[in-house]
């Protein structure tokens, strides 16, 4: 797993720095605008239960609860992120709708048929390859019939985006190996990130939204 996905990476100063760039509550590129873009594609209904994998400091979970009336369970590996998210949940008055817990998604357990939607926004990339299929088997069990899975990862639109030395230094520090959009889609297919039980309902080079059938 990349260092960026480890709990040790998320020291408070680093988190604050990233949030200054993406917005409070967001550690993924796109910030609230990206959050809105993804949420609009989920067709959530008030009362839907959502599992937010890699919930970070809570931005996506709060957005789904506030704007769609969802009840969200966030799973986060970092104690720093978890503490911030829990504090903010109380501050914004969403503690009745949003619950955060610490854990690695490959080892946590939930009862079957618990969720209408499971989201991986910038988090699936941190799941070791050997855990992809076992994890998706668990996700299938957690989903209600007709439930949906969102996978969204950051890719490059063209190779020139790595041309700046500052960006290349950042990629080295974070142990990232970014792919072009077409390359990412090929890898996703090769690694069975969209198993046979999921029927694609929205596919582009960066986003896969599938339904439990």
């Amino acid at each position: 797993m990349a260092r960026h996905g480890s709990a040790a990476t998320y020291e408070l100063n680093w988190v604050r720095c990233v949030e200054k760039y993406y917005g409070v509550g967001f550690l993924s590129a796109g910030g609230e605008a990206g959050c809105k873009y993804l949420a609009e594609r989920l067709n959530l209904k008030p009362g839907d239960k959502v599992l937010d994998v890699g919930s970070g400091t809570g931005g996506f979970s709060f957005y789904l609860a506030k704007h769609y009336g969802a009840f969200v369970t966030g799973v986060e590996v970092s104690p720093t992120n978890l503490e911030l998210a829990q504090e903010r949940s109380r501050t914004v008055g969403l503690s009745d709708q949003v619950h955060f817990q610490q854990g690695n998604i490959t080892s946590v357990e939930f009862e079957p048929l618990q969720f209408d939607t499971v989201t991986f926004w910038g988090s699936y990339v941190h799941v070791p390859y050997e855990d992809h299929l076992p994890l998706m088997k668990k996700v299938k069990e957690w989903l209600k019939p007709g439930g949906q899975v969102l996978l969204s990862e950051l890719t490059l639109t063209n190779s020139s985006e790595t041309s700046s030395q500052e960006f290349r230094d950042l990629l080295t520090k974070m142990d990232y190996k970014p792919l072009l959009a077409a390359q990412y889609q090929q890898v996703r297919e090769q690694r069975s990130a969209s198993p046979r039980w999921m029927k694609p309902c929205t596919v582009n080079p960066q986003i896969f939204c599938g339904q439990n059938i």
Side-chain angles (χ1 to χ4, degrees):
M1 185 181 294
R3 290 195 303 272
H4 181 65
S6 67
T9 303
Y10 294 96
E11 294 93 354
L12 184 58
N13 287 341
W14 185 88
V15 171
R16 298 292 194 194
C17 181
V18 174
E19 287 191 329
K20 284 183 180 179
Y21 189 75
Y22 293 137
V24 174
F26 298 100
L27 303 178
S28 296
E32 187 168 353
C35 170
K36 180 176 183 292
Y37 177 85
L38 295 176
E40 288 173 347
R41 282 147 181 80
L42 293 176
N43 298 313
L44 294 176
K45 304 180 298 297
D48 276 2
K49 293 185 177 180
V50 178
L51 175 61
D52 183 11
V53 179
S55 48
T57 53
F60 195 31
S61 297
F62 297 142
Y63 189 92
L64 298 181
K66 179 179 179 181
H67 294 277
Y68 291 88
F71 288 83
V72 186
T73 298
V75 175
E76 172 57 38
V77 70
S78 161
T80 300
N81 291 347
L82 182 72
E83 184 176 350
L84 282 172
Q86 290 174 331
E87 178 184 332
R88 289 167 179 172
S89 180
R90 293 187 292 269
T91 300
V92 300
L94 289 172
S95 55
D96 289 340
Q97 279 181 259
V98 182
H99 167 73
F100 297 104
Q101 66 181 67
Q102 187 179 358
N104 187 314
I105 194 60
T106 61
S107 57
V108 300
E109 296 293 341
F110 294 101
E111 292 295 321
L113 309 178
Q114 288 294 299
F115 300 104
D116 300 284
T117 298
V118 177
T119 65
F120 294 82
W121 182 15
S123 57
Y124 195 79
V125 68
H126 301 305
V127 177
Y129 172 58
E130 61 270 18
D131 290 327
H132 283 190
L133 286 182
L135 173 57
M136 279 300 170
K137 287 179 180 178
K138 294 204 300 183
V139 168
K140 175 176 169 58
E141 294 176 357
W142 299 337
L143 280 171
K144 300 175 183 179
Q148 58 185 345
V149 178
L150 172 73
L151 301 178
S152 178
E153 298 297 345
L154 179 66
T155 63
L156 301 174
T157 56
N158 59 72
S159 58
S160 66
E161 288 181 343
T162 60
S163 59
S164 87
Q165 186 60 50
E166 182 180 11
F167 187 48
R168 288 199 299 270
D169 290 343
L170 177 62
L171 294 176
T172 300
K173 179 180 179 181
M174 306 307 292
D175 197 23
Y176 269 162
K177 299 178 178 62
L179 300 175
L180 294 172
Q183 292 173 319
Y184 173 71
Q185 186 164 352
Q186 183 179 20
V187 169
R188 178 180 58 77
E189 292 169 352
Q190 291 172 346
R191 294 188 173 188
S192 300
S194 50
R196 286 190 296 272
W197 58 266
M198 290 171 62
K199 179 181 67 175
C201 51
T202 302
V203 178
N204 70 30
Q206 295 172 292
I207 300 171
F208 177 84
C209 185
Q211 243 181 348
N212 184 4
I213 58 174

